[in-house]
Amino acid sequence: MPEGDTVYLAAARLRKALDGKTLTRSDFRVPRYATLDLRGQPVESVGSYGKHLFVRTPELSIHTHLKMEGVWRVYEPGQRWTKPGFTARLILGTADAEAVGFSLGLVRVLPRRDEHTAVDHLGPDLLGPNWDAAEAVRRLTARPERPIGLALLDQTNLAGIGNIYRSETCYLRRIHPATPVGAIDDLTALVEESRRILLQAVTSPPRRVLVYGRQRQPCRRCGTGIVVHLLADDPTLSRADRGIYFCPRCTPPPT
Ligand SMILES: [Zn+2]
């Protein structure tokens, strides 16, 4: 499941390729917009909020979401694609670049004035200019009984964390992901930690992980083998994405 840093970096690549340029090609390979043609339209800006990405012309905002498998690639004109063509959902071309969204989970086109409706329900964007830790904490504490590992994934609390960063954040704060939100002393420090990790991932990629995907490998603090558990049977997550990674010694499960 792509996380906020992936979307932020994709927006940066698309901005470089498209921003200020005129579209010479627009190919929506989703039935609803199959006849929409944005050739001749200038791209005014490219932005992201949490895991949502927006490419804006003067009138319209193209709203995409990677969901589980999606990825954006930018090519030179005529360059061979590195993903199967049948998985392309949206192609935006200029005179000197071609941006291709493969396996996008969502492609929508909104009037610019309605773009906010795509993100109004979301919590503060961890990588956004208006990040608001107090608001994120307020939203988290509305359901104090919920395990923090689930609450951090809920984009209506705060936007940008996926399965990797919920495990990483909890590990760094020495909190087991099954701990109820209400039992955590310093939620502000926890959300600021997740922001710090995401900022680090976008300012000095590649992403580095301490626990995610490291089951049976030694904990970097105490050497105990990292374990992976399924936190909850959430049908919106693939089985692989339901795993939470933790050190059973540094962050024992709550009793
Ligand atoms: Zn440990």
Side-chain angles (χ1 to χ4, degrees):
M1 185 207 293
E3 318 230 352
D5 58 332
T6 302
V7 180
Y8 184 95
L9 291 171
R13 288 199 305 278
L14 293 191
R15 190 174 300 123
K16 193 163 170 237
L18 304 175
D19 198 6
K21 308 281 174 62
T22 298
L23 293 174
T24 56
R25 181 182 184 193
S26 82
D27 187 350
F28 289 82
R29 296 187 180 174
V30 288
R32 188 172 169 195
Y33 302 110
T35 60
L36 180 62
D37 185 352
L38 298 180
R39 273 179 298 174
Q41 293 290 315
V43 173
E44 281 197 341
S45 64
V46 178
S48 62
Y49 189 107
K51 302 181 188 178
H52 299 257
L53 198 152
F54 302 92
V55 177
R56 305 176 184 109
T57 69
E59 305 284 324
L60 300 173
S61 180
I62 304 165
H63 169 212
T64 58
H65 194 294
L66 301 176
K67 296 282 173 75
M68 305 305 279
E69 307 280 335
V71 63
W72 278 99
R73 292 276 186 268
V74 175
Y75 302 104
E76 292 174 11
Q79 186 185 350
R80 194 179 171 88
W81 291 354
T82 50
K83 297 260 177 193
F86 70 88
T87 64
R89 290 291 169 271
L90 175 57
I91 302 145
L92 297 172
T94 69
D96 40 30
E98 189 171 58
V100 186
F102 296 97
S103 305
L104 300 176
L106 173 80
V107 178
R108 289 201 307 166
V109 181
L110 302 166
R112 280 278 289 272
R113 65 179 175 279
D114 295 339
E115 184 190 290
H116 66 93
T117 62
V119 297
D120 279 347
H121 63 295
L122 300 176
D125 177 13
L126 283 151
L127 291 172
N130 300 318
W131 164 244
D132 182 344
E135 175 64 11
V137 169
R138 190 188 68 76
R139 287 170 177 248
L140 284 167
T141 45
R143 290 181 62 184
E145 76 293 349
R146 211 173 184 198
I148 187 65
L150 279 184
L152 288 176
L153 276 190
D154 184 341
Q155 306 295 300
T156 67
N157 287 330
L158 67 178
I161 296 180
N163 198 37
I164 296 171
Y165 292 124
R166 67 168 172 169
S167 287
E168 295 294 308
T169 299
C170 289
Y171 176 77
L172 284 165
R173 294 297 305 162
R174 297 180 185 251
I175 293 166
H176 189 278
T179 308
V181 168
I184 296 170
D185 291 335
D186 194 346
L187 277 172
T188 303
L190 182 132
V191 298
E192 292 290 12
E193 184 75 66
S194 59
R195 174 171 154 83
R196 189 191 63 74
I197 301 170
L198 276 160
L199 281 172
Q200 185 182 51
V202 298
T203 52
S204 57
R207 171 193 286 163
R208 289 172 289 276
V209 294
L210 295 171
V211 276
Y212 180 80
R214 295 193 63 241
Q215 64 268 34
R216 293 188 295 280
Q217 295 176 50
C219 168
R220 301 209 195 270
R221 280 194 295 248
C222 73
T224 305
I226 300 295
V227 296
V228 56
H229 281 179
L230 298 183
L231 184 54
D233 199 20
D234 184 337
T236 65
L237 299 175
S238 71
R239 190 174 170 84
D241 272 337
R242 281 175 234 164
I244 47 163
Y245 295 82
F246 61 95
C247 171
R249 179 146 177 239
C250 296
T251 58
T255 49

